[in-house]
Amino acid sequence: MSGVLSGIYHVVLHASIMGLFCLWIGWQRSVVDAMPPGRRILIWGAGFAVLAILALLQPTEALPGLRIDIRATMIALSTLFGGPAAGFLTAVAAALTRLAVGGPVATTGLVSIGLCYLAAVAVLMTMRRREGRRRIFQLLLLGGLVGIAGPAASFVTNDWSTALTLIGAGALPQIIAVTLTVPIFAIIIIETDRSRRSQEDLRTHERELRAANTKLSELAAQLERRNGEYMAALERAEAFGRAKSQFMANISHELRTPLNAVIGFSDLLLMQGPAEPSGTTREYVQMIRASGERLLEIINDVLTAARIDGAGFEAELREFSLAALLQEVTGFLEPAVNEKRQRIERKLDDGLMIHGDAKLLRQALIHVLGNASKFGPRDSLIEIQAIAAADMVELTILDQGPGIEAETSEAAFRPFWQRDASDTREHGGLGLGLTIARHFVEMQGGKIEISRRATGGTCVRIRLRRGAAALAA
C-alpha cells in the first residue's frame, strides 16, 4: 500500500513540475515565436531538452520497480512547437545524456530517441499547419505513435525474444504515459499561450479604448467650443438681422410719412376746381403723384419684407370666395392694366371657396398679377384659371410676357432677384414681389411655382386649400 501511495506521489510531483514548466513555456510562446528563426529554434530545443534530460535522469517511479520517463514526450513537443530543427536539438541533448548515463541498454535507448524523433517529424508533416485546427485526436495520434516508436527500438537492437522481454518489462505503461502526456502538455502550452494573447489583446483594446475616449473627450470639448462660437455668431447674426429689419422698418416709415403728404397735396392740386392747374403744371403734378405712388409702393414692399424677416405676420385662416377676391385684386390693378390696354380673363367657378387668409392672399395675388401686367406687352392677354382637385384648388395665372427660364425659376423667389439686373433695364422694381407672394402663400399651407409657357410667357401656379364646406358637399 505504501508503494502505491509513493508511486502516486511521484506521478503527481513529476506531473506538477512538468505542467508548471509547460505553463511557463506557453506564457513565453508568443515572445519566442516573434524572435528570429535561429534564436527561436535554439530556445525551443533547449527548453524541451532540459525537460527531456530531467525525465531521463529522474524517471517517475509509478510502482515499485516500474520506472517511466517521458523524454519522448519532450521530443514530440519540441518538434510540434519549434519545428523539426528544435526537435532534433532536443533529441541530440537527450541522446548525449543517455550516452553519459550508460548501461546495458544504452544503444537501445539511443535508437529509441532517434525513432521517437523520426515519428514526431513524420506525424507533424501530416498534421494541418494551422494550430487552431489541431484537435485532441491529432495530439493523441502524435503521442501514441511517438510512444510506440520508443519501445520499437528494442526490435532494432535485439533479437525478438530479448525485445519481447524488454517490452514486457514496462513498455505498455511507457506507451500510455507518452500517449497521454503529449496532448495534455500540448494543450497546457496552447491554452496558456491563447490566454496570454487574449489578455494582450484585451490590454490593447483597453489602450485603444482609453485613447478613443481621450480623443472623444477632446472632440467633445472642441465641439462644445465650436458650438459656443456658433451660438455667439448666431446671436450676432440674429441681432444684426433684427437691427436690419428694424432699420428698414424705421426708414420705410420715415419715408412713407412725407410721401403720403406729397401724394395728398398732389391730389388737392388736381381737385381744386376753377383754380385747378392746367397744361404743363397739371402734367407736372400728375408726374409728382405717379412717382410718389411708385415710391410708396416700393417702400411698402421693403416694409413688408422687413416684417417677414422679423416674423411679423400671422395667418388668420377662414373660408372666403376666391372669385370675390380676384374681382377685388383685378379692380385694384385696373388702372395699370388699362394704361397698357391689356385684358384679364377669368375662368373659374364663382362658388369656389378657399380656406386661408384673404388679406395675405390678396397681397400675394397683387404682386403676381402686377408682374404679369408689368412684364406683359401692350394689348396682351392675362388669363386666370382655377380648378378644384380633391382638397386643393390650383390657381393658374398666364401672361404673354418674355417668360422665365427653367434654370432661374427657383432663383426668381429670392429677395431682390431681377431677370435683368443691369442699370438700364426696362422694368423697375426691387425684386421682392415673388418673395412676398411665396411667403404669404406658404403661410396658408399652399405652394407656388413658376415656369415658362410652351407658347411663350410665364405660368404661375398657386395651390391653395379648398374650403371645408365645398369638401363636405
Side-chain angles (χ1 to χ4, degrees):
M1 185 64 179
S2 60
V4 174
L5 293 175
S6 177
I8 295 174
Y9 168 77
H10 280 91
V11 170
V12 173
L13 178 62
H14 287 193
S16 299
I17 294 173
M18 295 295 181
L20 289 173
F21 201 87
C22 288
L23 282 172
W24 180 82
I25 291 174
W27 193 256
Q28 299 298 324
R29 183 186 177 191
S30 60
V31 178
V32 175
D33 284 346
M35 294 179 178
R39 189 175 179 184
R40 176 173 56 82
I41 291 171
L42 179 62
I43 292 177
W44 279 119
F48 283 107
V50 171
L51 293 178
I53 292 171
L54 289 176
L56 185 61
L57 296 178
Q58 189 64 42
T60 303
E61 189 173 357
L63 292 172
L66 178 60
R67 293 188 174 187
I68 299 174
D69 72 78
I70 53 173
R71 54 189 163 179
T73 298
M74 301 308 153
I75 295 171
L77 293 177
S78 180
T79 306
L80 177 64
F81 292 106
F88 180 76
L89 183 60
T90 302
V92 169
L96 291 176
T97 304
R98 187 68 187 85
L99 282 175
V101 173
V105 289
T107 303
T108 302
L110 292 175
V111 175
S112 172
I113 291 171
L115 290 177
C116 289
Y117 170 70
L118 293 176
V121 172
V123 174
L124 185 63
M125 292 297 107
T126 60
M127 291 174 65
R128 295 180 179 178
R129 295 297 182 182
R130 290 183 62 188
E131 180 182 296
R133 300 295 299 273
R134 290 176 186 163
R135 304 184 184 279
I136 186 65
F137 72 87
Q138 293 175 320
L139 297 174
L140 284 170
L141 177 63
L142 175 62
L145 292 179
V146 172
I148 292 172
S154 299
F155 294 97
V156 177
T157 58
N158 301 285
D159 55 53
W160 281 80
S161 61
T162 303
L164 291 173
T165 301
L166 292 174
I167 291 175
L172 184 58
Q174 182 76 21
I175 294 173
I176 295 174
V178 174
T179 301
L180 294 178
T181 53
V182 166
I184 290 174
F185 291 153
I187 290 173
I188 290 174
I189 294 172
I190 291 172
E191 292 302 321
T192 302
D193 174 61
R194 186 175 297 162
S195 175
R196 174 172 179 168
R197 291 178 188 272
S198 298
Q199 292 182 24
E200 290 177 349
D201 289 343
L202 181 60
R203 285 194 292 269
T204 300
H205 291 327
E206 288 177 350
R207 287 193 297 270
E208 293 175 351
L209 183 59
R210 284 195 294 270
N213 286 336
T214 302
K215 183 66 175 178
L216 185 60
S217 299
E218 293 174 356
L219 291 175
Q222 185 178 2
L223 181 61
E224 185 176 358
R225 184 171 60 255
R226 293 285 178 85
N227 187 52
E229 295 173 356
Y230 167 76
M231 294 303 296
L234 181 62
E235 289 178 2
R236 290 194 297 270
E238 290 177 347
F240 176 78
R242 289 192 297 270
K244 180 198 71 171
S245 299
Q246 187 62 42
F247 170 77
M248 293 175 66
N250 291 341
I251 198 69
S252 298
H253 176 73
E254 294 299 325
L255 289 174
R256 187 167 56 175
T257 301
L259 272 177
N260 285 329
V262 170
I263 295 172
F265 283 118
S266 298
D267 289 338
L268 287 175
L269 287 173
L270 293 172
M271 295 186 302
Q272 282 184 349
E276 68 180 18
S278 59
T280 304
T281 303
R282 181 178 180 83
E283 183 179 351
Y284 289 163
V285 173
Q286 289 175 340
M287 291 175 61
I288 291 172
R289 188 182 188 285
S291 298
E293 288 180 345
R294 179 60 185 152
L295 185 57
L296 182 61
E297 180 183 344
I298 292 174
I299 291 173
N300 286 335
D301 285 347
V302 172
L303 185 59
T304 300
R307 289 185 62 189
I308 288 174
D309 283 343
F313 290 98
E314 290 185 5
E316 297 180 2
L317 304 180
R318 55 175 57 91
E319 293 191 11
F320 58 90
S321 170
L322 179 60
L325 180 64
L326 285 171
Q327 180 68 33
E328 181 182 349
V329 171
T330 53
F332 178 82
L333 295 172
E334 187 174 355
V337 172
N338 291 339
E339 183 181 354
K340 297 181 72 173
R341 294 186 299 183
Q342 295 170 330
R343 293 180 298 111
I344 298 179
E345 288 187 0
R346 293 183 296 161
K347 299 177 182 179
L348 71 158
D349 183 0
D350 290 341
L352 200 57
M353 301 297 292
I354 299 296
H355 182 72
D357 189 313
K359 293 181 180 179
L360 297 182
L361 184 58
R362 175 183 182 276
Q363 199 163 348
L365 291 176
I366 286 175
H367 284 292
V368 174
L369 287 170
N371 283 345
S373 174
K374 179 170 67 174
F375 292 103
R378 297 180 67 85
D379 300 314
S380 62
L381 174 66
I382 300 173
E383 300 178 66
I384 303 175
Q385 303 171 0
I387 301 175
D391 60 341
M392 301 294 289
V393 172
E394 183 173 282
L395 178 64
T396 305
I397 300 171
L398 307 170
D399 65 47
Q400 296 176 342
I404 188 167
E405 293 76 10
E407 56 272 16
T408 58
S409 60
E410 185 62 28
F413 291 101
R414 292 203 298 262
F416 306 108
W417 182 85
Q418 296 283 353
R419 185 175 183 274
D420 180 7
S422 65
D423 294 335
T424 59
R425 62 179 180 268
E426 178 183 357
H427 304 287
L430 293 180
L432 292 173
L434 288 179
T435 303
I436 296 171
R438 168 181 268 189
H439 184 77
F440 286 165
V441 168
E442 291 180 349
M443 283 181 65
Q444 305 173 63
K447 186 176 181 181
I448 181 170
E449 297 174 348
I450 188 169
S451 61
R452 186 185 183 92
R453 297 177 64 184
T455 58
T458 301
C459 173
V460 179
R461 288 187 175 88
I462 302 174
R463 294 181 178 87
L464 302 165
R465 291 179 180 176
R466 195 176 177 189
L471 290 175

